[in-house]
């Protein structure tokens, strides 16, 4: 049974940092991504990591860093802005298909 469990969200002041984690189990995943969805907006990709490369949305380049250790994916978020407020979801794709986590709320506010 495939499971993706996110953690690390919360409330942070502008300019602060948070580290999200996504613990994946039940399969082997070749591609892992972070997405986010703000109220009233579509879900959009934030960052992706494969065995060869990482890539980021323009809005987070230079502030966010995606990494992976075995089947746990991380998103280090620095210099957070109010517009980063959203529910953050992890997505993993592997031999069994694609799977989503349940999401974790990140709120950037003073």
């Amino acid at each position: 049974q495939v499971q993706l469990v996110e953690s690390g969200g919360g409330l942070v002041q502008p300019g602060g940092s948070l580290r999200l984690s996504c613990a994946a189990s039940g399969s082997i995943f070749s591609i892992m991504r972070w997405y986010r969805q703000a109220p009233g907006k579509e879900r959009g990709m934030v960052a992706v990591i494969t065995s060869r490369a990482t890539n980021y949305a323009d809005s987070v380049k230079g502030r966010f860093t995606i990494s992976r250790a075995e089947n746990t994916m991380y998103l280090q978020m620095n210099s957070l802005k109010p517009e980063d407020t959203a529910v953050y979801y992890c997505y993993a794709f592997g031999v069994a298909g694609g799977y989503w986590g349940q999401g974790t709320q990140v709120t950037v506010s003073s």
Side-chain angles (χ1 to χ4, degrees):
Q1 182 181 358
V2 174
Q3 278 193 313
L4 301 178
V5 179
E6 296 119 332
S7 60
L11 173 64
V12 63
Q13 292 187 344
S17 298
L18 281 175
R19 189 192 196 206
L20 305 183
S21 299
C22 172
S25 61
S27 187
I28 297 172
F29 303 103
S30 56
I31 300 172
M32 298 186 79
R33 301 187 182 109
W34 286 102
Y35 287 79
R36 67 185 180 187
Q37 187 168 19
K41 295 188 177 181
E42 292 187 354
R43 190 175 298 187
M45 195 190 76
V46 175
V48 57
I49 186 165
T50 70
S51 61
R52 299 180 181 181
T54 59
N55 203 8
Y56 300 89
D58 287 344
S59 59
V60 306
K61 280 181 181 176
R63 300 189 298 121
F64 290 11
T65 302
I66 190 171
S67 61
R68 178 176 175 177
E70 307 238 346
N71 259 6
T72 300
M73 177 176 63
Y74 304 95
L75 187 68
Q76 178 66 44
M77 305 186 295
N78 298 329
S79 301
L80 282 161
K81 305 174 182 180
E83 51 263 45
D84 294 318
T85 295
V87 178
Y88 284 71
Y89 297 90
C90 70
Y91 173 85
F93 179 83
V95 294
Y99 296 85
W100 291 93
Q102 81 286 355
T104 186
Q105 176 70 46
V106 171
T107 301
V108 185
S109 175
S110 55

